[in-house]
Amino acid sequence: MSLKIATWNINSVRLRIDSVVRLLDDHKPDVLCLQETKCPDDLFPEKAIKAAGYEYIEKSGQKGYHGVAIVARVPLEKSSVKRFCGKEDCRHIQATAKGVEIHNFYVPAGGDEPDPEINEKFAHKIQFLEEMASWFKNAKQKTTAKRVVVGDLNVAPLEHDVWSHKQLLKVVSHTPQEVELFEKVLASHKWIDVPRLFTPEEEKLFSWWSYRSKDWQASNRGRRLDHIWASPAMDGMAKSVTTFTDARSWEKPSDHAPVIAEFKL
């Protein structure tokens, strides 16, 4: 039995519903996890997604900001959300598909200044990552449960997860403080960094390119902000990972590319 999971920060699901349907039609993942849906639940474009064959939809959205959703062509069970940092800002949703517990996250971006003393957004991000680590550290069945974490985690942890390690050391998403916390979250459940199983750490690997770049392909100033992790019980099950960069050039694109992983369960 296989499970194909895609993750995509869509940057408004209603604005880019045609792109969502195109991805579903072209790649046919069993499960697609969306971040930054930017719409309340009652306005989520269920009709178009169900018409594409994805009848199972779990969502946690709010007007204009954040928002996460899981859509699937296989049954979803045990759906729930967790609130972090005492906020109601729709940044997590989980559901189980084919016996795999899937966690979909949209970690706070953190603003522009990497100093929690003067930047509330960065302080929020730091607290969020700390709470993630604590939550997963206390999870039950850590060695036996099949779990996957996906989403826009807004940290590019490795040297070659950014276009210039030296130039981005003081830029939010690649600062030592964020990287250290990211590694703490990874260690909290002994998560496996699935894309790096297929692309060695010494090779560049990006999933996000700024809108500010006129020709994103030519400059290629990217960062790997979108991640797929697997729990220890899924060690050896990952069979492929693709960062579908073509989607970054579609009409009205998101600044993120979808990342798709296939597991043999």
Side-chain angles (χ1 to χ4, degrees):
M1 182 170 62
S2 65
L3 178 65
K4 191 175 185 180
I5 302 176
T7 179
W8 196 4
N9 179 318
I10 195 60
N11 193 14
S12 178
V13 67
R14 287 183 291 171
L15 181 63
R16 297 184 172 83
I17 185 57
D18 290 345
S19 294
V20 172
V21 171
R22 181 176 175 180
L23 183 81
L24 296 175
D25 287 343
D26 290 352
H27 292 272
K28 295 179 172 54
D30 295 303
V31 178
L32 170 61
C33 295
L34 297 168
Q35 304 88 40
E36 217 170 350
T37 54
K38 292 185 175 179
C39 76
D41 290 346
D42 61 335
L43 296 180
F44 191 87
E46 288 194 18
K47 186 176 179 180
I49 289 173
K50 288 183 176 180
Y54 288 73
E55 298 182 5
Y56 305 94
I57 300 173
E58 299 292 345
K59 53 195 182 294
S60 177
Q62 63 188 91
K63 184 178 180 180
Y65 297 94
H66 320 314
V68 287
I70 302 175
V71 306
R73 57 178 182 167
V74 297
L76 294 175
E77 302 172 331
K78 302 176 183 177
S79 174
S80 65
V81 300
K82 180 173 174 59
R83 305 298 184 188
F84 288 80
C85 308
K87 297 180 181 289
E88 296 294 319
D89 57 343
C90 307
R91 293 183 178 275
H92 169 268
I93 191 167
Q94 73 179 72
T96 298
K98 295 188 177 183
V100 177
E101 182 181 294
I102 301 167
H103 293 265
N104 180 17
F105 278 95
Y106 176 46
V107 171
D112 296 325
E113 184 63 44
D115 184 347
E117 298 297 324
I118 62 174
N119 179 4
E120 291 183 3
K121 291 181 178 179
F122 192 73
H124 179 204
K125 183 176 191 175
I126 295 306
Q127 183 183 352
F128 195 102
L129 291 168
E130 289 279 13
E131 290 187 13
M132 279 181 69
S134 177
W135 187 40
F136 285 130
K137 183 178 180 181
N138 294 319
K140 297 179 180 179
Q141 299 176 316
K142 288 170 70 172
T143 60
T144 58
K146 294 177 182 176
R147 295 185 174 117
V148 170
V149 165
V150 305
D152 178 3
L153 305 187
N154 262 315
V155 180
L158 302 176
E159 179 176 345
H160 295 291
D161 287 343
V162 294
W163 64 271
S164 174
H165 172 61
K166 290 183 179 179
Q167 289 180 254
L168 271 68
L169 278 172
K170 295 183 180 180
V171 174
V172 173
S173 79
H174 191 60
T175 65
Q177 184 176 9
E178 292 166 275
V179 170
E180 182 179 350
L181 276 174
F182 188 91
E183 292 173 349
K184 183 177 179 180
V185 182
L186 271 173
S188 68
H189 200 309
K190 296 183 179 180
W191 294 109
I192 300 162
D193 183 353
V194 177
R196 281 301 183 186
L197 294 176
F198 298 90
T199 303
E201 289 187 12
E202 60 270 17
E203 293 184 21
K204 295 289 188 184
L205 184 60
F206 309 145
S207 66
W208 173 91
W209 296 262
S210 174
Y211 285 130
R212 296 175 185 175
S213 188
K214 291 183 178 179
D215 189 339
W216 70 273
Q217 288 176 303
S219 62
N220 199 28
R221 293 191 170 192
R223 307 178 202 177
R224 184 170 72 114
L225 303 180
D226 304 272
H227 298 267
I228 298 179
W229 300 346
S231 64
M234 296 184 68
D235 189 17
M237 294 184 182
K239 298 306 174 186
S240 67
V241 175
T242 302
T243 302
F244 186 60
T245 56
D246 287 2
R248 182 62 179 80
S249 294
W250 288 353
E251 187 178 357
K252 295 188 297 187
S254 170
D255 45 358
H256 294 254
V259 182
I260 307 170
E262 189 161 5
F263 299 89
K264 187 173 183 179
L265 304 178

